[in-house]
Amino acid sequence: MLRIDLNENLYLRDPQDTDLGRRLVAESVRLIDEIGFEQFTFKKLAQRIESTEASLYRYFENKHKLLVYLVSWHWAWLRYQIRFHTHNVADARQRLRLILGILTQAHQDDPATTQLDEAALYRIVVSEASKAYLTKEVDEDNKAGLFQEYKRLAAGITEVVREINPAYAYPHALVSTLLESARKQHFFAQHLPSLTDAAPPAAENKSIHDFLTRLAFAALG
C-alpha cells in the first residue's frame, strides 16, 4: 500500500509498520463497507483477520479513531492525486477543473495500491465521513490535529481559488462547500434522489462534476 504518514494522535501504533496493522486497515475497509460503521466492531474485525481484539486495540484506541484514520487516509490520498495531476498545469482555472474531476472520480479503485480498496473506502467516506467530526469531542479532536488532512486538502484548493480571483471574499467557504457537496451529492443520488439533480448512475459522476464546476466558476466570475 502507498505509505501515507498521518497524525500520530490517530493511532496508538502506526498500522503501516506491521503486517497485522496493514491487514487491519485493509480488512476494516472491506468490513465497514459491507456492514456499515454502526454494526462494525473490533470483535468482528478480529474474527475476519483471525486475530484477537486485544491485538487490534494496540493500534487504535477505539473504532472512532479507526474511522478518522481511514477518512484521513482518503483525504491525504486525494491531496496526492491532486498534486500529481496538476503540478505541471500553469493555468489556475484548468487546475481547478482538474481538481473537481478528481473529487468526483474518487470512487475508482487504484490498481497500484493492491492492499487497499479505494473504491470501498470512498463508499465509506460518502456514508460515514461526517461521523468523524460530528461529535461532542470535535473541538478536542481538532486541537489534537485529527482533521489536519482534510484541512490540508481544503487549504491547497483554496490557494487555487485565490489565484483565480484574489478578490473573492469567501474562498474557504466555497472550497468546503465543494468538498462536502462532492460526496453528499453522490450519497443523495444513491439514497435520497429527490435531494439532488444528479443523473442516473451511468452519468452520475459527470452531472455532479458539471454542477460543482458551474457552482465554482459562477462564484468566482
Side-chain angles (χ1 to χ4, degrees):
M1 161 187 333
L2 173 72
R3 184 177 181 95
I4 293 177
D5 293 318
L6 300 176
N7 189 311
E8 62 183 15
N9 290 326
L10 287 168
Y11 49 79
L12 301 174
R13 182 180 184 183
D14 191 340
Q16 297 179 98
D17 288 342
T18 68
D19 178 66
L20 176 60
R22 291 187 291 271
R23 288 194 293 121
L24 183 165
V25 171
E27 290 300 328
S28 67
V29 167
R30 295 187 180 97
L31 187 55
I32 295 173
D33 183 44
E34 289 174 16
I35 66 176
F37 185 65
E38 286 81 3
Q39 299 302 317
F40 171 84
T41 66
F42 277 4
K43 181 178 181 179
K44 293 176 182 177
L45 178 59
Q47 293 172 344
R48 171 75 70 97
I49 63 176
E50 298 181 341
S51 183
T52 65
E53 285 185 78
S55 296
L56 305 189
Y57 278 111
R58 295 192 185 104
Y59 292 89
F60 293 97
E61 180 181 348
N62 52 50
K63 74 174 191 175
H64 177 72
K65 286 287 183 66
L66 173 59
L67 176 64
V68 181
Y69 179 92
L70 296 176
V71 171
S72 295
W73 198 98
H74 172 76
W75 300 136
W77 170 248
L78 283 184
R79 284 183 65 229
Y80 170 81
Q81 292 291 321
I82 288 170
R83 291 196 303 270
F84 181 82
H85 290 287
T86 66
H87 75 284
N88 284 329
V89 180
D91 182 69
R93 289 179 175 269
Q94 180 60 18
R95 290 205 306 277
L96 184 57
R97 290 188 181 93
L98 289 171
I99 289 168
L100 295 176
I102 290 167
L103 294 181
T104 52
Q105 295 294 322
H107 66 287
Q108 296 178 350
D109 186 38
D110 186 341
T113 54
T114 57
Q115 287 185 288
L116 188 66
D117 185 341
E118 284 87 10
L121 178 55
Y122 184 66
R123 290 191 292 270
I124 293 172
V125 170
V126 167
S127 300
E128 317 283 6
S130 295
K131 297 171 187 173
Y133 54 82
L134 293 181
T135 68
K136 290 291 186 180
E137 295 77 29
V138 60
D139 294 326
E140 290 78 6
D141 288 348
N142 186 42
K143 289 178 183 177
L146 302 195
F147 312 120
Q148 70 178 15
E149 294 302 333
Y150 195 25
K151 292 193 287 185
R152 285 173 176 172
L153 175 64
I157 303 172
T158 299
E159 289 180 8
V160 179
V161 166
R162 283 175 163 161
E163 188 175 345
I164 294 171
N165 186 348
Y168 183 64
Y170 313 106
H172 297 91
L174 176 60
V175 169
S176 62
T177 297
L178 294 170
L179 286 170
E180 292 292 300
S181 293
R183 59 186 175 84
K184 288 186 176 178
Q185 290 299 312
H186 275 294
F187 184 87
F188 292 155
Q190 295 163 13
H191 304 289
L192 301 169
S194 66
L195 298 181
T196 183
D197 298 296
E204 180 181 313
N205 296 325
K206 183 181 185 304
S207 61
I208 294 174
H209 178 261
D210 289 348
F211 165 67
L212 295 180
T213 301
R214 289 174 182 268
L215 178 64
F217 286 100
L220 295 173

